[in-house]
Amino acid sequence: MLTQKPISKLNFELLTGTFVYGFSGFFSAALSFLLLPVLTRYLSPYDYGIIETFITVVTLLTGVIIAGENTLLTKEYFNLDVHGRKNYVENALGFVTLTGAFILILFLILSAVSNILPAILKISNSLILWVIIVSFSTAVISILLTLFQVERKFKLFSVFVNVQILCDVGISLFLIIVVKMQWEGRIAGMVASSLVFLALALLIFRKRNVTIRFPKNYAKAIFIIAPPFVLAHTSGWINEMVNKIMINNIQGIEATGIYSIGYRFGVVILLIQEAFGKVWFPFFYENIKENSELHNRMIVKNTYRYFAALIIFSLIYGFFGNRLLHMFVDKRFFAAGQFVFLISMGYCLYGVWKVFIGYLIYKGKIKTYSNIVIFVALTNIVLNYFLLKKIGLIGAAWATFISFAIGAILTIFFAVRSHRMPWALSKKHNQ
């Protein structure tokens, strides 16, 4: 049974955790910015197109392999005892291993009879194989990082993440600058760091006496919940990443490279919201279950504070982002500046959207959550198709902004209806 913590301590942990996760996010962003003058000098827009396509497909497959297990671990952690938590993590690792193996076998069969994937993605079968390996590694690492989050081991999380980033970047720079490799060097850096930290994650699990156990104790919960999460993730991936695949096919890989630089500047806002989310959701699930006036008001107040800070920062950053980009990239990539404001504000709306998703998951409304994300994903595809053809690359940025706005509005509507909260912050509130 968990002991109830004082409100002041909970608020302090929320602030401390956000700072630590924010530092990790900004450390990653700072490295990305510092690398841009170097990488845009040594790599062409075509090289960036290949790299971003690789990252895009890794993002998709990682979510499919993990199938929401990190989200469910965050939710269930506070409802389980020590033995139950250990079993849940072991079942989650077993599920990730099963899905990773299934995807690998499916790919090997498909690649033996058809070249459809290289035709769609514009990358080779060998690169797709590395995508699967990196995706599996990332999924396992994500389970460990989620465990650090719910245990509030902020410093351990930060060290693990930042050292992996340094390893990734260091290997990539050595291969690109010293060995004179191009896109191959950047991808090799990602592959090498993923494998090294997969081994480290497995070692940490072993020291905790956590093994990979094929789902048994929590098999029903995992296999019933997993498909909606996979569907929701795939739809969410469409909202965030499909524009790059569509740009590949409609305007070419070089155009994807240009767009991706502008997109990279815009997603600084995503780094902020991810930092907040890593500490927010354990905080949220631990306190929402109390269903008390005091805890609900605390949740609402911190929600408003976060929204105010996120909106103000997004507006300021989005306005000056174009000038910032010109300071960091080679002139061949200056056209990317036109996308920064729209992408920044789109991810501001996405940050609002993600906070309200927590209410739907808490109330078990996974189907509602999935339906919203699917609807927004389909809207995104349609918008990308027509806007890319009508107004060019800027159409992809508009598609992102409009889609995230629709997702935020729909999620807020259903979340507010599913769980009553004192949004007016009145003194009295009937549960």
Side-chain angles (χ1 to χ4, degrees):
M1 182 74 179
L2 291 170
T3 58
Q4 186 172 324
K5 297 180 181 179
I7 298 300
S8 58
K9 185 175 181 180
L10 288 168
N11 278 316
F12 177 76
E13 287 181 347
L14 181 64
L15 181 63
T16 302
T18 302
F19 175 79
V20 174
Y21 294 135
F23 173 78
S24 296
F26 278 112
F27 180 74
S28 174
L31 274 181
S32 296
F33 282 132
L34 292 174
L35 282 172
L36 282 173
V38 178
L39 296 183
T40 55
R41 176 183 174 187
Y42 286 92
L43 301 178
S44 68
Y46 177 84
D47 293 320
Y48 257 104
I50 294 290
I51 294 166
E52 288 297 326
T53 302
F54 183 88
I55 294 172
T56 297
V57 185
V58 166
T59 303
L60 171 62
L61 281 190
T62 299
V64 172
I65 291 172
I66 203 169
E69 291 308 306
N70 51 347
T71 302
L72 291 174
L73 176 59
T74 304
K75 177 177 179 291
E76 297 297 333
Y77 180 86
F78 300 103
N79 297 321
L80 299 171
D81 58 19
V82 174
H83 181 69
R85 292 168 183 171
K86 177 177 178 293
N87 281 339
Y88 197 97
V89 172
E90 290 177 335
N91 279 223
L93 289 172
F95 179 85
V96 165
T97 303
L98 282 175
T99 53
F102 175 77
I103 289 173
L104 177 61
I105 293 169
L106 187 63
F107 163 72
L108 293 175
I109 293 172
L110 187 61
S111 61
V113 299
S114 172
N115 284 320
I116 187 171
L117 289 178
I120 294 173
L121 301 176
K122 309 301 181 186
I123 58 176
S124 67
N125 273 325
S126 60
L127 268 185
I128 297 173
L129 178 60
W130 285 115
V131 163
I132 296 171
I133 293 170
V134 172
S135 300
F136 171 76
S137 302
T138 306
V140 172
I141 292 169
S142 180
I143 296 290
L144 178 64
L145 294 178
T146 300
L147 202 54
F148 289 161
Q149 289 171 226
V150 293
E151 293 173 346
R152 293 188 172 88
K153 294 184 176 178
F154 305 137
K155 292 180 180 178
L156 191 56
F157 177 99
S158 181
V159 169
F160 193 99
V161 170
N162 291 328
V163 173
Q164 183 179 4
I165 292 169
L166 286 173
C167 178
D168 179 350
V169 170
I171 295 172
S172 297
L173 284 178
F174 175 79
L175 293 176
I176 292 171
I177 298 174
V178 179
V179 183
K180 305 298 183 184
M181 296 174 72
Q182 296 178 308
W183 60 262
E184 299 93 338
R186 182 69 188 97
I187 290 176
M190 287 186 275
V191 171
S193 64
S194 295
L195 293 176
V196 168
F197 282 83
L198 168 63
L200 181 58
L202 293 174
L203 180 61
I204 293 173
F205 279 127
R206 183 178 178 181
K207 287 189 174 182
R208 288 174 167 231
N209 294 318
V210 173
T211 58
I212 296 175
R213 181 177 299 181
F214 296 108
K216 182 179 179 182
N217 296 359
Y218 299 97
K220 184 177 179 180
I222 289 174
F223 282 101
I224 289 176
I225 295 295
F229 268 106
V230 170
L231 190 59
H233 168 77
T234 303
S235 301
W237 172 85
I238 289 173
N239 288 322
E240 294 185 60
M241 299 287 187
V242 75
N243 46 20
K244 295 176 184 177
I245 302 298
M246 295 184 74
I247 292 170
N248 273 1
N249 286 275
I250 294 174
Q251 299 202 2
I253 291 216
E254 291 85 355
T256 301
I258 295 292
Y259 179 77
S260 295
I261 291 294
Y263 190 89
R264 186 176 297 278
F265 272 77
V267 296
V268 164
I269 307 303
L270 176 63
L271 295 175
I272 294 172
Q273 53 169 280
E274 283 183 341
F276 180 79
K278 284 179 175 64
V279 68
W280 171 257
F281 285 109
F283 166 87
F284 173 79
Y285 289 124
E286 182 179 5
N287 288 279
I288 195 70
K289 68 183 179 65
E290 298 293 337
N291 201 28
S292 71
E293 177 73 16
L294 185 62
H295 285 80
N296 287 347
R297 286 171 64 83
M298 178 180 63
I299 290 171
V300 170
K301 283 182 179 179
N302 282 304
T303 300
Y304 285 150
R305 290 167 183 161
Y306 167 60
F307 286 169
L310 181 66
I311 291 168
I312 292 170
F313 182 83
S314 299
L315 285 169
I316 295 173
Y317 178 80
F319 182 78
F320 290 102
N322 183 31
R323 299 175 187 179
L324 187 66
L325 181 143
H326 285 191
M327 294 169 58
F328 280 91
V329 304
D330 186 85
K331 62 181 180 180
R332 293 174 298 169
F333 294 86
F334 279 2
Q338 63 184 305
F339 313 122
V340 177
F341 184 80
L342 281 174
I343 297 297
S344 299
M345 296 313 300
Y347 274 101
C348 176
L349 293 170
Y350 187 49
V352 174
W353 179 3
K354 284 169 70 174
V355 166
F356 282 94
I357 285 173
Y359 292 95
L360 299 181
I361 294 174
Y362 171 71
K363 299 298 289 188
K365 296 184 178 293
I366 305 300
K367 185 176 180 181
T368 301
Y369 165 47
S370 299
N371 287 339
I372 291 171
V373 180
I374 291 168
F375 174 76
V376 174
L378 293 174
T379 302
N380 194 316
I381 291 173
V382 172
L383 287 172
N384 266 290
Y385 180 79
F386 286 105
L387 293 178
L388 278 170
K389 289 193 171 184
K390 189 171 182 65
I391 59 176
L393 277 178
I394 193 66
W398 274 110
T400 296
F401 177 81
I402 295 170
S403 298
F404 286 165
I406 293 172
I409 292 168
L410 290 175
T411 303
I412 291 171
F413 175 78
F414 286 105
V416 168
R417 287 167 60 93
S418 69
H419 189 82
R420 298 186 65 184
M421 293 288 283
W423 295 110
L425 291 177
S426 57
K427 293 184 180 180
K428 293 184 179 180
H429 178 68
N430 296 321
Q431 295 294 334

